[in-house]
Each structure stands twice: as structure tokens, then as C-alpha cells.
Amino acid sequence: VPGSDPALFIGGSFTIANGAEMYRISRITNGSMLETDKGVSNTVYSVQAHETSGIVYYGGAFLDATGVPVGSVTSWDGKNWDQMGGGVSFPSTCDASGTQPEIAIVYSILLLGGGGCIAFSCSPEQRPKVFVGGRFELAGEGKNMVKARNIAMWDPAAANGEGRWSSLCDSNPPNRCDIDGVSYRGTSAQAASPVYVFSLAYHAASNMLYVGGLFQSAGQRYANINSLAAFSLTSKSWSIVGGGIAGPSPVVHALYISPGSQDLYVAGSFSAVGKQNSDVLSAGLNAGNIAVFSLTSGSWNTLNGGIPD
């Protein structure tokens, strides 16, 4: 937090830390573990601190932040929890069995922009845009709800500072997006296929958002893009990254681009890069679960074979 001692923010499924009640989030400052208000109601999977303002964002599977209703994502500015327009969710069910809707999960948070303020003094225009990835189908609430399959963006300055969620989708030509994010590929009969977004990374020079997880298509239902995709924030279009990745149920768990770098680090469970499982005529490159993609040359580096299973 600007103007204060450095802190390490942590989240998980704990309720006791250092002998004191701390509900799933905490911070460590000067060797002391401190609570953040009264925490959140369920597991935290992602924590991101906005370095210039000190606002901390949390994602997970929780619906309450110290008594404030939220939807699996929230932020703490030192005084208040932000409901962020209702967060993300799944459609409610109304059948006679009383089945509850699946709880949305946010696994990854990426912050873009914002600054020029400190914590609770920040106006909506000074807060960052927030990209979230996980497992959900909707973002927002009421008349402002939008379809957003497993990835969405929160703009706190939209609607004169009220904030709005949007999907990463452009239905207009030439993009013709029809699935509002990433999903299974093909017909509705495959809807039970597990789909997740686990990691996000941003490349400033190209204004490109990279998305990793477990999915079969991006932007269009029949687009063959497996578990690693790129979304242009300029053209609002989805694309495959370097020919893709392959292997038995390929999945990407982590993405990283260091500041100023032109390299995308990709880690997960895959055995080849430069191809997908459907590319029977492409040999690709053998890779052991980790590889680096050059954002300038478009080539892969398999890091001497990577990490074997």
C-alpha cells in the first residue's frame, strides 16, 4: 500500500492464522499476520493488489465479505468492500427439487490501468479495470447482467461511475462472436464438459490478453482453440496462440509475461506446442508441461523438453 510498510496478502480456505480468527484472507506486515476486516465466507483462490492505489482484489467461491453480499469477487480499499456490480454467477434454477445454482468460482484476476490515488480515496475513474477468469456464466445483476462464459471484465468508471460488467465478445462482423468468452466446442449436448479459466496475462505492446485454462473454443462455438487463447482488446477478437498446445486433456494452469518482456511463459499439462490434438498433419514440438512463446517471432521454446510427468 503506498505510504505504508510492504505487505504480503494471502488467501485460502483457513479460518485460523497465527492463533487468531482470520476468515480466509490475511496480510503479513513487518512479520505480523493481521486480519482484513472479518474476511469472506468461503475459499479464496486469487489475490491481486493494485500497486499504485493499494486496493486489494479477491476472487474465489464466496458470496459474503464481512456481511456485504458479493459474487465471488470483491475488493477492499481499507474501509469498504466493493460489491463490484454483483460479481459473477450461474443462472438461478426454479425447479421443484429446490436444486441450488452452482456457485461461481473466480480463479484468476488481472488489473489494468488506474492510479493517481490511495485506497479509499480513489474515485471510480482512478480504479483499475478488472478482468476475472474462472467458472461462471453470468456477470452483473438485474438489468445490468450480461452473459459471460468463464471470463469477464469489470469497468468501475462505466455508467458515470456506477460500474458495469462486460463479456469478451463482439457479435458484429467480422468477429461474429457467439459464446461470450470461452466454452466447450460444438453442440449443447457437450454442455457438461468442464470449462475453466485458470490464468490471465496481459501484453501491453500489443494490447493483448492471454487466457489459459481448460476449454475447447473461444469466441465462436466451433472455433477449435484448446485451453490457450488470446483476446485483442483493440479488435475485440479471439485467436489461437502459436498453433496451440496438445496432449491428453491439455490444460494451462499458469501464464506469465514479465514487465517489458516479449515472452509468454505457459505452464500446465501438455505434451506438445505449435499444434492441437486435431492437427494430425502437424508434428509440433515435444514439450513437457512448460514452454515459452515469443510474442515477437511467434516461435516456441520448449526449455530443453520442460518438466516430464
Side-chain angles (χ1 to χ4, degrees):
V1 177
S4 64
D5 294 322
L8 172 65
F9 297 91
I10 60 176
S13 59
F14 55 87
T15 56
I16 301 291
N18 199 30
E21 290 187 354
M22 295 186 195
Y23 291 93
R24 302 167 188 91
I25 58 177
S26 181
R27 71 185 191 278
I28 300 174
T29 303
N30 291 329
S32 298
M33 185 169 284
L34 306 172
E35 66 178 0
T36 300
D37 206 4
K38 298 301 179 183
V40 298
S41 61
N42 208 339
T43 304
V44 171
Y45 291 105
S46 181
V47 181
Q48 285 290 328
H50 189 232
E51 292 187 7
T52 59
S53 69
I55 300 173
V56 185
Y57 293 79
Y58 299 92
F62 50 84
L63 300 178
D64 180 284
T66 314
V68 177
V70 295
S72 299
V73 61
T74 185
S75 70
W76 172 251
D77 64 9
K79 285 190 174 181
N80 301 296
W81 294 100
D82 189 350
Q83 291 182 291
M84 296 178 64
V88 296
S89 62
F90 280 94
S92 298
T93 56
C94 300
D95 58 22
S97 68
T99 302
Q100 296 296 313
E102 182 178 352
I103 295 178
I105 303 176
V106 170
Y107 288 112
S108 183
I109 297 174
L110 185 143
L111 308 177
L112 188 59
C117 62
I118 296 178
F120 55 83
S121 68
C122 294
S123 67
E125 292 75 18
Q126 293 172 312
R127 294 176 181 243
K129 293 181 179 179
V130 184
F131 293 86
V132 300
R135 180 167 171 78
F136 51 85
E137 292 183 5
L138 302 169
E141 59 186 357
K143 65 180 181 180
N144 299 319
M145 182 180 290
V146 297
K147 293 181 179 179
R149 289 188 181 270
N150 309 299
I151 186 167
M153 184 195 76
W154 168 250
D155 183 352
N160 296 317
E162 290 184 8
R164 289 289 186 271
W165 284 98
S166 62
S167 63
L168 274 61
C169 180
D170 180 3
S171 59
N172 298 315
N175 297 327
R176 301 185 186 277
C177 169
D178 63 7
I179 59 171
D180 307 293
V182 301
S183 188
Y184 55 88
R185 182 170 180 263
T187 66
S188 58
Q190 296 171 290
S193 300
V195 178
Y196 305 91
V197 169
F198 291 128
S199 186
L200 302 170
Y202 176 69
H203 184 235
S206 61
N207 200 27
M208 193 78 74
L209 180 70
Y210 290 89
V211 181
L214 177 61
F215 50 85
Q216 300 169 350
S217 62
Q220 296 179 344
R221 189 170 306 284
Y222 290 92
N224 186 20
I225 301 177
N226 291 335
S227 300
L228 177 62
F231 182 78
S232 170
L233 298 177
T234 302
S235 66
K236 310 300 181 186
S237 60
W238 287 93
S239 60
I240 195 170
V241 177
I245 61 173
S249 299
V251 57
V252 171
H253 288 291
L255 298 172
Y256 180 70
I257 303 173
S258 61
S261 170
Q262 304 299 318
D263 291 326
L264 171 68
Y265 288 79
V266 182
S269 178
F270 50 88
S271 57
V273 294
K275 64 167 292 183
Q276 297 191 128
N277 290 343
S278 59
D279 299 331
V280 295
L281 299 180
S282 175
L285 297 173
N286 292 332
N289 304 309
I290 186 170
V292 182
F293 180 70
S294 171
L295 301 174
T296 52
S297 69
S299 60
W300 285 97
N301 179 345
T302 60
L303 301 176
N304 295 321
I307 303 172
D309 292 330

